């Protein structure tokens, strides 16, 4: 709502708050250009506008999700597929925030790896399939696995990176569908932009923090997935 004061139209506090909240969400979900290659990953409490938007999307009251005080918002610098510095957003567990921030900082500082996009999964309604199809790098999402167990993402203790170039595969199933171009070992070459291979800067950055890669799984393989306990 606008109010006229001294011949000028100004926004009321209520309207102003709504605009600030909308601006915050736009920056989080659309991503923001990192102003310098020296940008650093930061962690902060989840803002009110973001927490409200997470309800029914990445945070679900019907599941035993971590509370707001157990989660943090990371602002993470990365290089996009064109090599431009950007800043993405991830929600992770407070207990692993330092490890995740440090791993992504190593990746960014190396200048050797590209990330397609990094937006909160709430932009996709908390739908993992939609996020993967959009090649979105994400972390917290309070959801169950296909077998009904709580995902490590549900606790904010797992990260998925470039799902198209690094798909999940089990038998004849490949997710996302576009990942079929990269689901065979013979297709996973180091010169593919955004691909994760054993011993590269990504696997080493997470391994230094004790995190394990889904590319080493035996029964299935999840090239996009890193977690603090290997699940």
């Amino acid at each position: 709502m606008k109010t006229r004061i001294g011949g000028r139209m100004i926004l009321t506090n209520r309207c102003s708050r709504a605009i600030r909240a909308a601006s915050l969400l736009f920056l989080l979900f659309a991503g923001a250009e990192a102003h310098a290659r020296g940008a650093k990953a930061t962690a902060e409490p989840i803002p009110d506008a973001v927490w409200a938007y997470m309800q029914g999307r990445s945070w679900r009251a019907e599941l035993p999700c971590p509370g707001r005080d157990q989660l943090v918002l990371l602002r993470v610098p990365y290089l996009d597929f064109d090599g431009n510095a950007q800043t993405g957003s991830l929600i992770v567990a407070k207990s692993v925030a330092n490890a995740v921030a440090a791993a992504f900082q190593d990746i960014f500082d190396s200048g050797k790896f590209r990330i397609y996009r990094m937006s909160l999964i709430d932009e996709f309604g908390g739908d993992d399939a939609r996020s993967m199809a959009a090649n979105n790098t994400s972390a917290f999402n309070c959801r169950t696995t296909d077998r009904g167990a709580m995902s490590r993402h549900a606790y904010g203790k797992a990260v998925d990176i470039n799902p198209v170039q690094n798909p999940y595969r089990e038998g004849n199933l490949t997710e996302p569908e576009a990942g079929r171009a990269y689901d065979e070992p013979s297709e996973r070459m180091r010169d593919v932009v955004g691909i994760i291979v054993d011993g590269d800067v990504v696997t080493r950055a997470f391994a230094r923090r004790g995190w394990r890669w889904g590319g080493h799984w035996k029964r299935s393989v999840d090239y996009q997935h890193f977690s603090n306990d290997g699940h």
Side-chain angles (χ1 to χ4, degrees):
M1 179 182 298
K2 292 183 178 179
T3 302
R4 185 175 296 277
I5 298 180
R8 293 179 301 161
M9 297 298 291
I10 67 169
L11 296 172
T12 63
N13 287 340
R14 180 178 179 183
C15 187
S16 179
R17 286 196 301 268
I19 290 176
R20 287 198 299 271
S23 298
L24 173 63
L25 291 174
F26 175 80
L27 288 173
L28 288 173
F29 298 146
E33 184 176 357
H35 294 296
R37 287 298 178 95
K40 300 297 182 183
T42 61
E44 62 185 81
I46 300 174
D48 290 345
V50 175
W51 181 247
Y53 196 73
M54 290 168 61
Q55 305 308 299
R57 294 177 175 88
S58 67
W59 198 90
R60 300 171 176 86
E62 70 273 15
L63 294 175
C65 309
R68 183 179 182 178
D69 62 342
Q70 298 173 285
L71 301 168
V72 296
L73 170 65
L74 295 185
R75 300 284 283 155
V76 178
Y78 68 94
L79 297 178
D80 66 20
F81 272 29
D82 293 322
N84 298 317
Q86 306 288 345
T87 302
S89 301
L90 297 172
I91 300 290
V92 300
K94 185 183 294 185
S95 61
V96 302
N98 288 341
V100 176
F104 276 107
Q105 191 69 54
D106 284 358
I107 295 166
F108 176 71
D109 290 344
S110 76
K112 295 179 179 179
F113 188 76
R114 305 290 186 264
I115 293 175
Y116 185 78
R117 70 180 295 170
M118 187 187 296
S119 301
L120 300 185
I121 202 167
D122 305 278
E123 182 177 347
F124 307 95
D127 188 319
D128 188 50
R130 286 177 56 201
S131 180
M132 286 194 295
N135 208 15
N136 183 51
T137 294
S138 65
F140 174 75
N141 188 18
C142 194
R143 61 175 177 83
T144 58
T145 67
D146 292 341
R147 294 173 176 81
M150 292 292 286
S151 166
R152 296 308 292 171
H153 290 280
Y155 302 112
K157 296 180 178 180
V159 174
D160 288 342
I161 301 174
N162 292 345
V164 170
Q165 289 76 30
N166 304 290
Y168 171 84
R169 181 175 181 180
E170 183 175 4
N172 294 324
L173 173 67
T174 296
E175 294 180 330
E177 180 66 25
R180 289 190 179 277
Y182 310 100
D183 65 355
E184 296 284 353
S186 61
E187 298 167 328
R188 303 195 58 74
M189 309 299 291
R190 287 180 178 269
D191 60 351
V192 176
V193 176
I195 206 164
I196 299 170
V197 297
D198 203 8
D200 70 358
V201 64
V202 182
T203 58
R204 287 186 285 110
F206 279 96
R208 277 194 289 272
R209 279 83 195 179
W211 280 46
R212 294 156 66 183
W213 181 39
H216 289 151
W217 292 359
K218 302 301 182 184
R219 185 176 59 82
S220 60
V221 63
D222 199 352
Y223 294 113
Q224 66 197 262
H225 185 83
F226 291 86
S227 66
N228 71 324
D229 66 355
H231 296 291

